[in-house]
Amino acid sequence: GPEFPGCHAKVVIVGAGPAGLTAAIYAGRALLEPVVFCGLKGSQLLQTTDVENFPGFPGGILGPDLIDKMTAQATEAGATFEYEEVHGIDTSTRPLRVAHGWDPEAPEW
C-alpha cells in the first residue's frame, strides 16, 4: 500500500512550490525536521520561464532556478524530500496518517 509503516515526522508538508518550501525553511529552522512531499512532477514553477513577481528578484528569475534556490535553503535548514504523491491524510486519529506512494487506490487506514 501507499503508507510506509514506521515512518514518523513532526511536520509533513505537501507541495514543493514556493509556499511549501517557505514552510519547510521555517519548520527546519525551528528544528522540526520537516518532510516535504514533492509529488512526481515537482512544482509548476519547474515548467515556468520568467518569474517577475517574486520578492527579492527585481529583475525576475527563472522558475527552475527559484525552486533550486529554495530547495537548497530548505535542505540546509534540515528538510528532507520525498518524491511521491500524497493520496490522503487521515485527520481522525493522532498522530495524523499520510497515505503516500504510487497507488492512489490503496490508502491503508
Side-chain angles (χ1 to χ4, degrees):
E3 197 167 337
F4 292 6
C7 293
H8 299 280
K10 296 175 190 170
V11 174
V12 171
I13 298 166
V14 180
L21 293 172
T22 299
I25 292 165
Y26 279 94
R29 288 177 50 86
L31 305 178
L32 296 175
E33 302 170 350
V35 176
V36 180
F37 283 93
C38 303
L40 300 176
K41 297 179 184 175
S43 170
Q44 285 184 309
L45 283 180
L46 293 174
Q47 284 84 43
T48 303
T49 54
D50 295 324
V51 178
E52 297 174 344
N53 61 346
F54 197 83
F57 298 95
I61 185 169
L62 295 175
D65 292 344
L66 177 61
I67 294 301
D68 286 348
K69 289 177 182 295
M70 294 185 77
T71 299
Q73 189 173 357
T75 301
E76 287 175 6
T80 58
F81 294 84
E82 295 291 335
Y83 295 89
E84 298 179 343
E85 299 290 335
V86 169
H87 303 293
I89 300 172
D90 182 359
T91 60
S92 67
T93 183
R94 296 291 184 266
L96 302 178
R97 296 177 67 181
V98 178
H100 58 91
W102 306 107
D103 185 2
E105 301 299 320
E108 293 180 0
W109 309 129

